[in-house]
Amino acid sequence: MSTTVIRGAHVITMDATTGATPVRRDLRIVDGRFAEISTEIIPRDGDEVIDGAGMLVTPGFVNAHTHSWEYLYKGRYDNLPLELWMLYSYPILGGARLDPDIITLRTLMFAMESMKNGVTTLIDDVLETPGQDLDQLAAVADAYEAIGIRANVSGHIINRPFVDTLPFVADRLPAELVQEVRRQPTLSAQEYLDYSRTAFAEHHGAGDGRIRYMLAPSGPQRVTDDLLVGANALAAEFDAEVHIHVLETKMQAVTGDELYGGRTLVQHLDEIGALSRRTTFAHGIWVTDEDIERIARAEVSVSHNAISNLKLGSGVLPWRRYHDAGVNLGLGTDGCSSSDTPRLMEVMKTAALLHKVTEPDYERWPTVPEVLHAATLGGARSGVLDGSVGSIEVGKQADLVMFDTETLAFLPTNRLENHLVYSENGSSIVRVMVDGVVTVENGRLTQIDEDAVIAAFRAVMPRIREEQDRLDAVNAAFAPVFAGAYRESAARPLSINRWIGSESEWVRELV
């Protein structure tokens, strides 16, 4: 039996009693779980004792929506809306199978940067081009197991031809290009569900329970209805998450009008029975009030990806409306191609600030406790993990982050929780634990040789860049038509507007 006692720290428990208010506590961790939380714990013989004086302890942060596979594209693109950006980050044509060895390096690099920023749980929606096989999935799961992080890992699936998932595209592209896209192999719903059942058998519960498989239909417009309904049923069988991209952009709102006879994408998912408490919507920006009511009624979670949404110009999530409806919110970085960072602390600050400019009623602006809840318990709840992580409570897994409050970020010391969200960027982290095991100590990872990983990654980057350049050239053929479809969608009047500013001004610009 391994026992660790942390003495005399300020602790943000995120439990129902003290929430986000720091309190002075001692913590006893036994075999990877919080066993005792008290104002004073007397160490026993054999206990490892950590002096918590001058430290702030928080639950480990949960990145509720990300794509580790985009790490290879970090810093590559700018000033592209989602639909144009996807041409290059999610190449429609020309993709070649990525070797599992590179996937391992890619995943470790992503996890290293995440964990050093206090992320102990990743909701990782992994897509491979042209499709994911079991060896590639195993490379991701094994990398996470090795580094010691907790992760929900998916098989991201698109089983409709991409040109048929967007309005105003297929009939404007050259016929031979459309035919080439439609000839690309796709999985049937049953093939994906069979694949997922094998993935559950091989990876669900690996790493002493830290690794879990989740289902990830890309979006309601990108997969068939039988796949959506089947994924929901399979998730219930394994008590797993279903992770879906929903209404990230105005073009997706227009897609509902075009593909589903005027119904929204949320309405369609609800009516076919594809929503449950295990469902997480990534983004959920262009939702109507009725959509929000449906989301709340079905107990669906929403992952808010503030930085990615800003960079891609997707719009601003209706933060307060979701809260008023009782919808659970998590925070996500999204992929490193659309946000260029896996650092969740940057998202925390951005989310806290962004919604203060959406309305003048300051009593409805995000609060620090709300943001911290989204970064911890909210994300855990979205990943079907709230029974085991997300707060510091007896019986839960000991996932935590320790911050040195004697650094410049916490001086002069006022309210530690405010410093954490607005002043700290991860530079004050001295220790990260997952399941009570120290995974980061004074800026260094403890479970892997990070220098060796970085050296190996640098060695393969020239080959990766060469392939990226080739794919960019192949898929640039779609750009003019996709740009036109984007502008037409942006100019279409809707009952809602999730962009900041006067709609009439930017509609004139686009038209």
Side-chain angles (χ1 to χ4, degrees):
M1 181 173 68
S2 63
T3 303
T4 301
V5 175
I6 301 173
R7 303 195 71 194
H10 284 97
V11 181
I12 292 177
T13 66
M14 297 310 301
D15 67 6
T17 302
T18 60
T21 301
V23 290
R24 183 84 67 173
R25 292 289 185 271
D26 291 358
L27 307 174
R28 184 187 300 279
I29 299 167
V30 178
D31 290 341
R33 293 180 181 270
F34 295 113
E36 186 180 357
I37 302 170
S38 175
T39 54
E40 184 176 11
I41 294 174
I42 306 302
R44 303 165 184 159
D45 289 343
D47 288 352
E48 177 190 8
V49 178
I50 297 175
D51 184 5
M55 298 289 172
L56 174 65
V57 178
T58 73
F61 299 130
V62 179
N63 189 339
H65 175 66
T66 193
H67 301 286
S68 65
W69 61 273
E70 286 184 25
Y71 197 84
L72 301 181
Y73 292 87
K74 185 166 68 170
R76 188 171 175 86
Y77 304 115
D78 195 17
N79 285 357
L80 291 172
L82 176 84
E83 287 76 19
L84 281 161
W85 163 83
M86 285 184 73
L87 287 179
Y88 305 108
S89 291
Y90 294 61
I92 299 172
L93 293 178
R97 179 183 184 273
L98 197 63
D99 187 86
D101 289 343
I102 294 179
I103 292 173
T104 297
L105 288 173
R106 177 194 75 188
T107 306
L108 288 173
M109 291 290 294
F110 175 79
M112 285 160 50
E113 192 170 351
S114 298
M115 195 180 283
K116 284 188 172 187
N117 199 240
V119 173
T120 57
T121 299
L122 295 167
I123 310 298
D124 186 9
D125 188 6
V126 185
L127 177 144
E128 306 292 352
T129 301
Q132 184 190 65
D133 60 41
L134 289 168
D135 288 341
Q136 292 173 316
L137 177 63
V140 177
D142 292 349
Y144 285 148
E145 185 172 353
I147 201 170
I149 205 164
R150 191 179 307 281
N152 286 6
V153 180
S154 81
H156 184 115
I157 180 68
I158 298 172
N159 78 332
R160 284 177 168 165
F162 200 79
V163 294
D164 297 324
T165 67
L166 300 167
F168 322 128
V169 166
D171 58 348
R172 301 181 187 184
L173 287 166
E176 61 274 13
L177 201 56
V178 172
Q179 291 169 6
E180 187 176 357
V181 173
R182 288 175 175 164
R183 282 196 299 266
Q184 300 299 302
T186 58
L187 295 180
S188 69
Q190 192 56 55
E191 287 171 332
Y192 175 69
L193 296 174
D194 289 344
Y195 173 93
S196 294
R197 193 172 288 279
T198 301
F200 275 121
E202 294 184 357
H203 302 295
H204 204 56
D208 295 323
R210 288 183 290 104
I211 310 303
R212 290 167 58 89
Y213 180 75
M214 69 178 180
L215 297 119
S218 181
Q221 75 279 26
R222 299 185 195 132
V223 297
T224 55
D225 287 354
D226 57 344
L227 192 149
L228 290 163
V229 174
N232 189 56
L234 191 59
E237 182 179 339
F238 287 92
D239 195 25
E241 180 181 2
V242 181
H243 203 82
I244 313 175
H245 293 71
V246 178
L247 290 170
E248 182 175 356
T249 66
K250 184 175 182 181
M251 194 169 183
Q252 291 177 12
V254 173
T255 298
D257 278 342
E258 292 291 319
L259 298 188
Y260 300 109
R263 292 178 297 159
T264 72
L265 297 180
V266 174
Q267 183 180 357
H268 177 71
L269 286 166
D270 192 14
E271 290 177 352
I272 66 173
L275 300 181
S276 78
R277 192 180 189 276
R278 298 174 186 83
T279 306
T280 293
F281 286 172
H283 305 291
I285 299 170
W286 289 82
V287 289
T288 65
D289 287 343
E290 182 184 343
D291 287 337
I292 293 174
E293 291 175 7
R294 290 176 183 270
I295 291 167
R297 189 164 55 247
E299 298 185 86
V300 169
S301 295
V302 175
S303 173
H304 178 29
N305 308 282
I307 292 178
S308 173
N309 298 156
L310 286 169
K311 185 178 181 187
L312 296 177
S314 298
V316 180
L317 169 141
W319 173 276
R320 185 53 58 199
R321 286 182 178 144
Y322 275 128
H323 275 86
D324 289 346
V327 174
N328 177 64
L329 294 181
L331 294 181
T333 61
D334 209 353
C336 283
S337 178
S338 64
S339 71
D340 302 285
T341 179
R343 297 170 180 263
L344 195 71
M345 295 202 73
E346 296 180 23
V347 178
M348 289 163 54
K349 181 172 183 176
T350 302
L353 295 174
L354 171 63
H355 304 282
K356 300 184 195 302
V357 299
T358 59
E359 61 176 306
D361 185 353
Y362 55 86
E363 293 184 351
R364 293 177 60 80
W365 293 350
T367 66
V368 163
E370 286 172 345
V371 170
L372 288 174
H373 184 276
T376 54
L377 263 177
R381 157 76 176 77
S382 78
V384 198
L385 295 167
D386 48 318
S388 56
V389 299
S391 59
I392 295 176
E393 299 183 73
V394 170
K396 284 197 169 183
Q397 302 299 135
D399 294 6
L400 61 82
V401 187
M402 296 183 69
F403 295 84
D404 181 358
T405 63
E406 296 180 0
T407 62
L408 292 175
F410 287 94
L411 295 175
T413 306
N414 286 295
R415 297 185 62 174
L416 289 175
E417 67 270 36
N418 289 357
H419 283 274
L420 181 64
V421 171
Y422 291 116
S423 308
E424 171 58 23
N425 62 5
S427 60
S428 302
I429 293 174
V430 296
R431 187 174 289 108
V432 177
M433 287 184 175
V434 180
D435 277 352
V437 174
V438 176
T439 55
V440 177
E441 183 85 42
N442 295 318
R444 298 293 296 178
L445 293 155
T446 65
Q447 305 299 299
I448 61 169
D449 183 343
E450 60 184 287
D451 293 333
V453 173
I454 292 171
F457 187 72
R458 287 185 182 277
V460 301
M461 275 309 301
R463 177 156 50 101
I464 291 169
R465 288 197 192 97
E466 183 179 349
E467 174 66 4
Q468 289 171 331
D469 291 343
R470 184 188 70 82
L471 288 171
D472 281 359
V474 169
N475 289 281
F478 296 93
V481 169
F482 275 50
Y486 166 78
R487 292 189 177 93
E488 185 167 346
S489 296
R492 175 174 289 195
L494 293 179
S495 62
I496 55 171
N497 174 30
R498 300 295 182 215
W499 282 316
I500 295 175
S502 168
E503 183 173 352
S504 61
E505 292 176 4
W506 48 255
V507 165
R508 282 197 301 270
E509 292 287 333
L510 288 166
V511 173

